[in-house]
Amino acid sequence: MDGNTVYSAVQPSGNLTIGNYVGSIRNWLALQEDHNCFFAMANMHAITVRQDPAELRRRTLELAALYLACGLDPEKCTLYVQSQVPQHAELMWVLNTVTYVGEMERMTQFKDKSARHADNINMGLMDYPVLMAADILLYQTDLVPVGQDQTQHVEIARDIAVRFNNRFGETFTVPRALIMKQGAKIASLQDPARKMSKSDENPNACVFMTDDRETVLRKFKRAVTDSGSEIRFAPAEKGGISNLLTIYAAFTGKTVEEAEKDFAGKGYGEFKLAVGEAVADGLAPIQAERARILQEKEYLRGVLAAGAERAFKAARKTLSKVYRKVGFYQGE
Ligand code: ATP
Ligand code: LTN
């Protein structure tokens, strides 16, 4: 049987896209009902690429408001800011000593980000997966719900856990990635071969969670499809159409098969408009709720303070165990 602890996080590094929502946050909602969930704002990961300090602080609160607006309930799960729990950095240090430079150099995201930020290939960028392993292992996590692009990082967290356990004795639960069958990889609207990314230079490639209705409709209208006319789910041949079907299904709660049926015999133009409308309709209440919560500064502060305290207690327990295992003097 599945263990009960769930951990995931998003970086407050930019405007969130519907890819982040569909691939990640949306799937957390059901989990909070019957699992012990920790969801963080990974601001320590965010600074591995340059961030404006004032903006990072603002985006961290905006991300918290978005979590709440999407339906995460602070009574049911622990929502907190990563840097408020010092054990993340502390455990990372220990885990660094059981992680090899060669494995970090081979990480896809490290290679991508090194190419994109060639003037800033800092140690943090390389150590990113170890910090992520520390996040996950601190809470004795069983399941890590993420989008497809994060599987390699969860694998490394598993490897590190197993390695540590073998060397020092049973310490960490070995986590497992939870990747949804549908929506784990939302593609760019301009290039279906690429993932939708919040840092894409082309503003038409991604739909942001904060885009207004008109912008959403325009972006879907311009979405790249193919020269055919059939609305069918076939990712290999019809990347653009399949991506739109996935997005439509995610925002209407239908299956992809039902979505295909809705549009049998219809044209691409009508289809793209319907997808845009479904997304705009789905985003509107989230946007309104996000704006409302952002006004309630005290409430938000309270949620994050309570979350940090709960996370701190759980993290302290694991870190103390780790320190004992590796032979750190703890004043006893
Ligand atoms: P960037 O594109 O700036 O590197 P990102 O958009 O991947 O960042 P993260 O904060 O790194 O954002 O990711 C948060 C979560 O969203 C992760 O679980 C990730 O797997 C998921 N995710 C990101 N992009 C997509 C996408 N296009 N489709 C599905 N899931 C996604
Ligand atoms: N690297 C992740 C964000 C993240 C994360 C985590 C996800 C940081 N720590 C722990 C799952 C578990 C990303 O989505 N880019």
Side-chain angles (χ1 to χ4, degrees), residues 115-253:
R116 267 197 285 148
H117 305 274
D119 59 336
N120 185 22
I121 306 177
N122 61 77
M123 288 298 293
L125 195 59
M126 191 167 172
D127 218 12
Y128 182 115
V130 183
L131 178 57
M132 186 161 152
D135 296 346
I136 296 168
L137 302 184
L138 261 185
Y139 300 92
Q140 305 291 355
T141 301
D142 299 283
L143 289 175
V144 187
V146 281
Q148 194 116 61
D149 60 315
Q150 294 299 313
T151 13
Q152 197 181 33
H153 288 158
V154 180
E155 279 303 311
I156 261 295
R158 284 173 67 87
D159 292 348
I160 292 173
V162 169
R163 200 174 296 162
F164 189 98
N165 287 347
N166 285 340
R167 196 166 306 172
F168 297 102
E170 219 35 56
T171 308
F172 296 120
T173 302
V174 180
R176 190 158 69 72
L178 179 64
I179 315 273
M180 294 298 153
K181 277 193 220 68
Q182 255 169 36
K185 191 176 177 191
I186 298 297
S188 153
L189 296 188
Q190 292 298 312
D191 178 359
R194 288 175 45 184
K195 82 160 191 167
M196 183 181 284
S197 166
K198 55 187 166 206
S199 42
D200 206 304
E201 323 75 54
N202 184 342
N204 288 320
C206 54
V207 175
F208 295 112
M209 292 300 287
T210 47
D211 279 348
D212 61 28
R213 187 172 194 90
E214 197 189 327
T215 309
V216 172
L217 293 180
R218 179 169 36 83
K219 287 179 177 176
F220 279 103
K221 193 171 170 193
R222 294 192 185 159
V224 169
T225 50
D226 54 53
S227 56
S229 61
E230 221 184 333
I231 298 169
R232 184 163 53 86
F233 187 75
E237 318 148 42
K238 298 174 84 69
I241 291 292
S242 303
N243 189 43
L244 294 178
L245 278 168
T246 305
I247 294 172
Y248 178 84
F251 275 87
T252 53

Side-chain angles (χ1 to χ4, degrees), residues 24-44:
S24 147
I25 302 176
R26 186 183 60 121
N27 306 314
W28 303 352
L29 300 177
L31 290 166
Q32 70 177 339
E33 299 301 330
D34 52 3
H35 288 74
N36 178 27
C37 296
F38 294 86
F39 298 122
M41 287 121 252
N43 57 348
M44 293 168 70

